Amino acid sequence: MELNNIRVVLVNTSHPGNIGGVARAMMNMCLKHLYLVSPHRFPSEKARARASGAVGVLNNAVVVDSLAEAVADCGLVFGASARERSIDWPSVEPRQCAAQVAEASPGTPVALVFGNETAGLSNAELAHCNYLVHIPANPDYSSLNLAAAVQVVAYEMYLAWREAADSAAVPHTGTTASMAPEKGWASMADLEGFYTHLTETLTALEFYDPDNPRQLMHRLRRLFNRARLDRMEVNILRGILTAAQKAAASRNQASPARRGGQGADTV
Ligand code: SAH
């Protein structure tokens, strides 16, 4: 487990005091890397005051314009959510999340993404995450303060790190069934390239209609994010897409008037 490879990403945070509270929660749990996606106000005196002694985390915070940018080099991304959604995204609790981070973080940067205080994470933001992490709480009042939510998740990271440090002294029994990725895990930037390619190809095949998108691309992103592809798998899938694009182009040349097809009518 590599705590230094874990980043906390706050999306569109409204209250600078919360950013300071998050910095403090992170430093308590030995997390250093804070990314802020279009914060409403930053830097801010309120953030510094709430950070208490953790201003170092604030001073080193990276401010970016989009969530895609904040997670581009990450091989594993969790989105923290208090809500049920119209499309379920695979969801874990903080302890399972920490176990997955423990396994992945020596090899790749990992992101823990937290939403805006009022709106939470949108479905479009969720689409940049492999999995959701949900803190179990009172079903009638399940939304924690942003810094409190970061604290709970960061605490589990710290416990998992301690456990890994303890067990490092014990010889490994080799009983886990984890599979090593071929050529490393795909980064989120690799996946974004694949999704663009997939959209173009499905459009050319007339399976996907950009004027009537429904939930198709969202569901496909959920599928591939959940699978956690490695680089070799992304290469294979993109090879298939290129072959499909060629086949669609020669089909369209042979009968240019052809329209329609099966399409994603039921999606
Ligand atoms: N009203 C918003 C909640 C915003 S709280 C909503 O319904 O989604 C701000 C952020 O804190 C959330 O976007 C989420 O990232 C985190 N958070 C709050 N409560 C949480 C919980 N029970 N589990 C996981 N994350 C939570």
Side-chain angles (χ1 to χ4, degrees):
M1 176 114 179
E2 179 53 87
L3 292 178
N4 206 24
N5 253 348
I6 300 176
R7 76 184 58 161
V8 170
V9 180
L10 303 183
V11 182
N12 296 140
T13 309
S14 302
H15 300 292
N18 277 337
I19 298 178
V22 166
R24 182 175 187 170
M26 288 172 62
M27 192 162 158
N28 285 144
M29 299 298 136
C30 297
L31 299 182
K32 290 194 262 213
H33 304 293
L34 177 61
Y35 282 61
L36 303 172
V37 179
S38 308
H40 291 203
R41 251 174 306 140
F42 188 81
S44 133
E45 219 13 77
K46 276 190 186 146
R48 292 180 70 82
R50 278 279 301 281
S52 199
V55 281
V57 174
L58 289 184
N59 291 341
N60 291 326
V62 180
V63 180
V64 293
D65 291 331
S66 70
L67 178 54
E69 218 180 308
V71 301
D73 58 332
C74 294
L76 181 63
V77 180
F78 285 91
S81 173
R83 261 188 302 162
E84 299 292 326
R85 298 181 180 270
S86 55
I87 295 186
D88 282 341
W89 213 254
S91 175
V92 298
E93 294 187 358
R95 199 148 300 168
Q96 293 165 275
C97 168
Q100 281 187 259
V101 172
E103 199 189 307
S105 62
T108 175
V110 172
L112 307 169
V113 182
F114 295 81
N116 168 271
E117 291 92 330
T118 315
L121 288 175
S122 68
N123 279 344
E125 286 157 358
L126 209 69
H128 293 280
C129 304
N130 296 101
Y131 312 107
L132 282 183
V133 54
H134 174 71
I135 301 164
N138 178 351
D140 299 323
Y141 193 68
S142 64
S143 175
L144 279 71
N145 165 266
L146 175 60
V150 171
Q151 184 74 77
V152 171
V153 176
Y155 172 67
E156 290 293 344
M157 298 298 142
Y158 187 67
L159 286 192
W161 172 80
R162 267 200 342 177
E163 199 183 326
D166 284 350
S167 64
V170 177
H172 195 258
T173 53
T175 49
T176 49
S178 65
M179 202 188 75
E182 266 188 277
K183 296 184 190 270
W185 294 112
S187 68
M188 283 296 152
D190 296 331
L191 284 185
E192 289 305 324
F194 166 63
Y195 293 136
T196 304
H197 197 172
L198 182 62
T199 308
E200 286 165 7
T201 310
L202 295 181
T203 306
L205 291 170
E206 296 175 4
F207 186 82
Y208 175 70
D209 179 359
D211 296 329
N212 184 19
R214 302 198 210 168
Q215 299 277 19
L216 178 66
M217 295 317 299
H218 195 67
R219 287 194 159 98
L220 289 175
R221 287 179 77 115
R222 177 178 61 181
L223 166 67
F224 289 112
N225 282 8
R226 188 176 69 219
R228 256 194 106 205
L229 303 174
D230 65 28
R231 289 220 168 84
M232 174 62 86
E233 289 162 339
V234 170
N235 286 345
I236 293 169
L237 288 169
R238 292 198 64 163
I240 294 171
L241 293 180
T242 302
Q245 282 175 315
K246 278 190 196 141
S250 54
R251 181 187 74 173
N252 288 347
Q253 264 176 0
S255 56
R258 193 188 167 283
R259 298 230 53 86
Q262 286 294 305
D265 290 342
T266 55
V267 184

